[in-house]
């Protein structure tokens, strides 16, 4: 199989993964309308084809949070990525480091901060959920600091988990105990490559960063129930003070979809936001990020760094989000599919494809530098 698009990686992931994992990555909330709109609305942004403008030297380099990057792209946080390939977060972090783009480790990763730190030589980013136990939260921030993380993405769109119907059907959630384990084992048996590589040889399978507070549960026996029990629905803007007290590096709020919230983030001194609806995994019916982004950029684009995610399946999609005003783009499902299909090599190949496609699309729209991308490259 030659992997040359995200859709190829998705097919590879579908073949390789047991259903409860493929559906976890591929699925979204309720009817999955917002997840679909992320893809469809982004693909519908028409770019202006421009000609005869000397595009012999395309420069995709940029700077985000003081870091010089080869392109304005980072691997966004993905829960349970270590179940998609053996020690999956380590494999993805290595591929990202090789490509020079930031890797963001999820709070609910399989590999712990320390394991990822041992595997790479450069700093990576950490994503934080508001865990109920503030003592543990403080320890987690201390661990991120001592692991050398150089940006913190605080996810704010999950006070409660979304209604992920596929996860209930597959047995990832809602089937605790031996029955759920049996269902997942039966699905794994149909995917012997994964069963050997990850199921058998990829242990431990617990949530590495939060293992200390799991109190006997791995989190995987009923994932959504675990999220519900451990994430704090009472979180407010005031909790940013707590985070600021324990984190002095760049702070990025992920899951902003409303200009009023973006203004609050800016006025409270966030360094960045991610315009995101969590890949449609939270509020189904929410705006696509493509539709939300321009208004948010207009409101706060001059005050903080605006990243965006949602539906990005190519370097052309990266260009589209930049044209709408994003300063950088997070990949989500795209890298999860690539990791599941081919491990580190898959993520490396994906980043190569995204970079090549971005350069090509810039050439064909007649722009040669990231700073020159703007609304003028769109058809109106
Ligand atoms: C966790 O972050 C999820 O979206 O499942």
């Amino acid at each position: 199989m030659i992997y040359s698009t995200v859709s190829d990686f998705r097919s590879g992931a579908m073949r390789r993964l047991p259903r409860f994992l493929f559906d976890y990555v591929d699925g979204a909330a309720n009817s999955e309308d917002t997840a679909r709109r992320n893809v469809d609305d982004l693909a519908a942004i028409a770019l202006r084809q421009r000609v005869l403008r000397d595009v012999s030297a395309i420069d995709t380099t940029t700077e985000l949070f003081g870091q010089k990057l080869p392109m304005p792209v980072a691997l966004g946080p993905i829960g349970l990525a270590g179940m998609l390939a053996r020690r999956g977060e380590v494999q993805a972090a290595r591929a990202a480091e090789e490509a020079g783009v930031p890797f963001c480790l999820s709070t609910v990763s399989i590999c712990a901060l320390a394991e990822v730190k041992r595997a790479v030589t450069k700093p990576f980013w950490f994503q934080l959920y508001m865990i109920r136990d503030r003592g543990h939260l403080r320890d987690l921030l201390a661990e991120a600091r001592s692991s050398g993380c150089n940006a913190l993405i605080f996810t704010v769109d999950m006070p409660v988990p979304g209604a992920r119907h596929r996860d209930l059907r597959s047995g990832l959630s809602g089937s605790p105990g031996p029955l759920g384990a049996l269902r997942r084992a039966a699905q794994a048996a149909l995917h012997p490559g994964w069963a050997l590589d990850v199921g058998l040889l990829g242990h431990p399978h617990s949530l590495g960063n939060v293992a200390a507070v799991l109190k006997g549960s791995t989190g995987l026996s009923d994932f959504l129930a675990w999220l519900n029990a451990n994430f704090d629905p009472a979180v407010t803007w005031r909790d940013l003070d707590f985070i600021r007290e324990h984190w002095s590096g760049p702070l990025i709020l992920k899951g902003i979809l409303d200009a009023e919230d973006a203004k609050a983030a800016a006025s409270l001194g966030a360094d960045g936001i991610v315009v995101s609806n969590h890949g449609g995994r939270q509020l189904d019916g929410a705006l696509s990020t493509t539709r939300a982004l321009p208004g948010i950029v207009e409101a706060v684009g001059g005050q903080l760094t605006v990243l965006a995610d949602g539906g990005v399946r190519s370097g052309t999609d990266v260009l589209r989000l930049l044209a709408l005003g994003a300063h950088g783009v997070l990949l989500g499902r795209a890298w999860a599919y690539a990791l599941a299909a081919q491990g580190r090599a898959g993520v490396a190949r994906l980043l190569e494809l995204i970079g090549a496609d971005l350069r090509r699309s810039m050439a064909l729209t007649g722009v040669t530098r990231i700073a020159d991308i703007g609304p003028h490259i769109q058809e109106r």
Side-chain angles (χ1 to χ4, degrees):
M1 169 93 194
I2 297 185
Y3 292 99
S4 60
T5 63
V6 170
S7 148
D8 295 340
F9 284 119
R10 180 177 180 274
S11 303
M14 195 187 295
R15 276 194 302 276
R16 175 103 176 145
L17 294 174
R19 182 174 154 204
F20 70 94
L21 288 173
F22 179 75
D23 275 351
Y24 171 67
V25 169
D26 196 62
N30 300 78
S31 310
E32 307 189 350
D33 289 330
T34 293
R36 253 190 314 277
R37 282 185 208 138
N38 279 346
V39 174
D40 294 347
D41 290 353
L42 185 56
I45 297 288
L47 296 165
R48 284 173 75 193
Q49 172 178 296
R50 301 301 305 275
V51 299
L52 301 174
R53 295 168 78 91
D54 184 2
V55 289
S56 54
I58 301 284
D59 180 2
T60 60
T61 58
T62 194
E63 195 175 309
L64 291 177
F65 310 107
Q67 301 166 41
K68 287 209 178 352
L69 305 179
M71 59 177 167
V73 167
L75 301 192
I78 298 268
L80 307 186
M83 295 300 287
L84 307 180
R86 194 194 308 182
R87 312 316 292 161
E89 290 96 357
V90 161
Q91 296 202 53
R94 285 183 166 148
E97 175 168 78
E98 232 165 60
V101 305
F103 167 77
C104 185
L105 185 71
S106 167
T107 289
V108 288
S109 58
I110 298 296
C111 302
L113 280 152
E115 182 176 349
V116 174
K117 178 181 163 50
R118 279 196 301 277
V120 295
T121 58
K122 296 203 193 85
F124 56 100
W125 296 0
F126 183 62
Q127 174 268 341
L128 186 77
Y129 276 124
M130 187 53 78
I131 305 240
R132 286 176 197 257
D133 177 339
R134 294 295 193 273
H136 183 67
L137 194 65
R138 197 186 50 229
D139 294 348
L140 204 52
L141 287 169
E143 183 71 17
R145 255 197 333 271
S146 67
S147 300
C149 293
N150 57 355
L152 185 74
I153 293 193
F154 174 37
T155 301
V156 292
D157 61 7
M158 203 195 275
V160 295
R164 319 267 179 89
H165 296 311
R166 287 207 228 179
D167 292 348
L168 287 175
R169 290 190 205 110
S170 72
L172 179 68
S173 295
S175 309
L179 196 63
L182 206 65
R183 285 178 68 190
R184 292 190 293 272
Q187 294 168 25
L190 297 174
H191 298 271
W194 179 92
L196 177 68
D197 188 39
V198 188
L200 211 61
L201 302 174
H203 280 269
H205 287 165
S206 51
L207 302 177
N209 294 317
V210 287
V213 287
L214 287 177
K215 300 188 183 93
S217 152
T218 60
L220 293 183
S221 56
D222 191 345
F223 187 60
L224 287 185
W226 186 89
L227 296 184
N228 223 354
N230 288 280
F231 291 179
D232 190 352
V235 60
T236 72
W237 292 99
R238 283 192 298 281
D239 290 291
L240 287 182
D241 291 344
F242 180 89
I243 294 177
R244 272 296 188 206
E245 235 175 80
H246 299 281
W247 177 262
S248 55
L251 176 62
I252 305 155
L253 302 193
K254 176 171 177 282
I256 300 289
L257 209 60
D258 187 283
E260 293 306 313
D261 285 340
K263 285 182 199 160
S267 72
L268 289 170
D271 300 283
I273 55 173
V274 185
V275 176
S276 174
N277 50 40
H278 214 111
R281 299 162 74 80
Q282 287 298 102
L283 177 62
D284 195 33
L287 277 186
S288 67
T289 50
T290 291
R291 286 192 54 198
L293 181 58
I296 292 178
V297 169
E298 196 182 317
V300 299
Q303 297 170 57
L304 42 61
T305 300
V306 178
L307 307 180
D309 70 9
V312 177
R313 301 293 181 264
S314 65
T316 310
D317 286 342
V318 171
L319 181 63
R320 288 180 164 118
L321 285 178
L322 298 177
L324 295 177
H327 303 120
V329 170
L330 300 188
L331 303 178
R333 287 187 183 86
W335 78 258
Y337 296 141
L339 178 69
Q342 275 201 315
R344 172 182 176 172
V347 180
R349 170 91 180 127
L350 170 75
L351 289 170
E352 230 174 76
L353 291 169
I354 294 274
D357 196 31
L358 174 60
R359 281 190 296 281
R360 192 169 32 244
S361 300
M362 285 172 67
L364 296 174
T365 50
V367 286
T368 56
R369 298 179 322 144
I370 296 296
D372 295 340
I373 299 169
H376 63 279
I377 72 161
Q378 281 179 71
E379 296 286 356
R380 287 180 174 263

